[in-house]
Amino acid sequence: MTADEAKARCWVEVDLDAVCDNYIKARDAAGDADVIPVLKADAYGCGAAKVAGALKRRGARLAAVATVTEALEIKGILDVLVLGLAGDSLIETAIKENIILTAYSPESARAYAYASQKLGKTCRVHIKVNTGLNRLGFDPQDEASLIMAAEDPRLLVEGIYTHLGLHDEASDLCQFELFDRAYKAVNAPLRHVLDSIGLFKYPDRRYDAVRVGAYLYGVSPSSAFEPAKPAVAFRA
């Protein structure tokens, strides 16, 4: 059997209605906070453009992805925040296309500012602080660097966020405290911390927005919470 023959005998079905139902459940759980759907990795393999279009019709405005390349695929459908690194060769492209970048260090903020000055166009950013996941982010206690990035006229700071390490409750509470301290230095309009697990685990910490990824596609964070509808089926 060839690879093409094998693919013809099995396929994946994506239920966009289920994705939208899960989005609405997440939105209900989020209360007054906005829901930022995470569409990285081609919406977890479900087709980012189609998922983005379906969610836009349900009221979604801002989506999150991992890379600039992913953002370019859906930028005409939803506003897009890049959560990960932006390669040097794509920073100017992102700024030209009005894509929101993550400033995760003083160096990244300077690189975005330099590119903005070169283009004569302000770079939209969300500042990420590292509260414990240790992936990317400013030191939340480095107030001077946070203020410097927030006050750079070449950067339009539209948000500040972190990603919880979710080690244990005591650690999580410390992370919230670090985030709150960083926010006081930056005072950005949009604060977002929680992911799908955090949304249900810490309903009193929803801030201005929550980022929902796995729950959209049918992965429930816990049996104690409203289960997500399965959105993907493998057929043969």
Side-chain angles (χ1 to χ4, degrees), residues 83-192:
L83 299 173
L85 300 171
D88 292 343
S89 63
L90 289 174
I91 292 174
E92 291 187 15
T93 298
I95 295 171
K96 289 176 184 177
E97 297 294 341
N98 208 34
I99 290 167
I100 307 167
L101 296 175
T102 288
Y104 54 87
S105 66
E107 293 75 20
S108 67
R110 285 195 293 269
Y112 301 160
Y114 174 79
S116 295
Q117 183 174 347
K118 179 180 176 182
L119 295 171
K121 182 177 171 64
T122 304
C123 178
R124 302 169 68 196
V125 302
H126 283 203
I127 290 176
K128 183 179 183 183
V129 293
N130 175 25
T131 57
L133 186 64
N134 300 321
R135 184 180 294 165
L136 292 173
F138 278 81
D139 179 347
Q141 300 185 78
D142 184 358
E143 186 174 303
S145 292
L146 288 167
I147 292 174
M148 187 174 296
E151 295 183 349
D152 193 316
R154 297 166 294 183
L155 304 178
L156 178 59
V157 179
E158 298 182 359
I160 180 171
Y161 74 100
T162 190
H163 197 307
L164 291 182
L166 288 171
H167 304 301
D168 53 61
E169 186 170 353
S171 171
D172 295 344
L173 292 177
C174 288
Q175 291 178 72
F176 286 124
E177 291 175 4
L178 287 170
F179 178 77
D180 291 340
R181 186 184 306 175
Y183 169 68
K184 288 180 181 179
V186 173
N187 194 27
L190 189 70
R191 299 165 297 166
H192 49 108

Side-chain angles (χ1 to χ4, degrees), residues 39 42-43 46-54 73-74 77:
L39 308 184
D42 197 28
C46 294
K50 289 184 178 180
V51 171
E73 295 175 1
I74 61 170
I77 305 170

Side-chain angles (χ1 to χ4, degrees), residues 25-85:
K25 287 180 183 178
R27 195 171 61 191
D28 290 343
D32 293 334
D34 288 335
V35 173
I36 303 172
V38 179
L39 308 184
K40 64 184 179 181
D42 197 28
Y44 291 65
C46 294
K50 289 184 178 180
V51 171
L55 293 179
K56 181 180 181 180
R57 292 190 289 272
R58 300 305 194 282
R61 295 174 294 173
L62 171 66
V65 296
T67 69
V68 174
T69 302
E70 291 176 350
L72 292 171
E73 295 175 1
I74 61 170
K75 70 176 182 63
I77 305 170
L78 294 171
D79 215 1
V80 197
L81 164 66
V82 176
L83 299 173
L85 300 171

